[in-house]
Amino acid sequence: MTPIVEQNRTGGRTAMNRAILGECAAVIVFVPVAASAHPGIVGLTHGFASGWTHPFSGMDHILAMIAVGLFAAHLGGRARWLVPLTFVSVLALAGVAGMAGVKLPFAEIGIAMSVIVLGLAVAFQLSVPTLVATFLVGFFAIFHGHAHGTEMPESMSGLTYGLGFVCATVLLHATGVGLGIAIGRTGPATGRQLAQVTGAAISFAGIALLILP
């Protein structure tokens, strides 16, 4: 392996590590505003655990967040960390709004549509500029973040609960990125077929979420 290649890989890992730290830290910046709206502090462990488990409680959230990672892995380069970072940052902001009682119409429809659209992006191996991809995932993150915020129990601390659901989201994104990288390493033909099947399954699940009560 040449020194240049090794340097590039090291630089890429450093950027991704910084992005992950930034994602977990983003909520520290954005969520304390909402903490004052929920004075019933029940402790770090209880609030963090509740926030951590919440993203895993709905298949719509799980599928959308993994799809973001798959999409980012397909785009490659800086999109691998910038696309998930955008989602998490907007998620935190929208979560603050939800905690503060800000209303968002058609939130559930927006969440279901995010699963459908992001699944299609994976299935069709959509190649767009990183800026376009960040706007796309950022738009859908509004609905997911708002849902997390409004569903926060009144007895929770906004800060610790927010830390929990942000870190859980980071894990789901990382899972999607890792899966996307693994799919890409199976070869061009096999990788494309696996991506099509995975993306189509995610998209069909989103359609089911949209039409079923």
Side-chain angles (χ1 to χ4, degrees):
M1 182 180 296
T2 65
I4 294 177
V5 173
E6 179 63 29
Q7 183 178 5
N8 289 338
R9 290 189 176 182
T10 302
R13 286 194 296 267
T14 301
M16 291 186 69
N17 289 338
R18 288 177 178 173
I20 291 171
L21 291 174
E23 290 175 344
C24 283
V27 72
I28 298 176
V29 177
F30 297 127
V31 172
V33 177
S36 61
H38 298 274
I41 306 300
V42 295
L44 174 63
T45 302
H46 188 63
F48 182 90
S50 182
W52 171 267
T53 57
H54 189 267
F56 299 101
S57 64
M59 188 57 63
D60 47 0
H61 294 297
I62 294 174
L63 291 174
M65 293 171 194
I66 290 179
V68 168
L70 287 166
F71 185 36
H74 163 67
L75 294 174
R78 63 176 184 169
R80 283 185 179 175
W81 59 267
L82 188 56
V83 168
L85 176 61
T86 299
F87 189 98
V88 172
S89 299
V90 177
L91 177 98
L93 283 170
V96 170
M99 291 175 191
V102 176
K103 302 299 182 183
L104 180 65
F106 309 113
E108 291 302 320
I109 294 176
I111 290 172
M113 288 301 300
S114 73
V115 179
I116 296 171
V117 173
L118 292 171
L120 290 174
V122 173
F124 288 103
Q125 296 287 271
L126 183 66
S127 294
V128 296
T130 300
L131 182 61
V132 174
T134 57
F135 274 107
L136 178 64
V137 301
F139 172 73
F140 287 126
I142 294 172
F143 299 102
H144 287 270
H146 186 272
H148 287 311
T150 56
E151 293 168 3
M152 185 187 80
E154 288 292 329
S155 60
M156 294 293 123
S157 160
L159 176 59
T160 55
Y161 179 90
L163 281 169
F165 80 66
V166 164
C167 289
T169 300
V170 171
L171 176 62
L172 289 169
H173 286 334
T175 300
V177 171
L179 180 60
I181 292 174
I183 288 174
R185 289 179 177 173
T186 61
T190 303
R192 174 170 288 277
Q193 290 176 347
L194 288 173
Q196 288 173 340
V197 171
T198 303
I202 292 173
S203 187
F204 279 122
I207 294 172
L209 292 168
L210 187 62
I211 64 177
L212 295 178

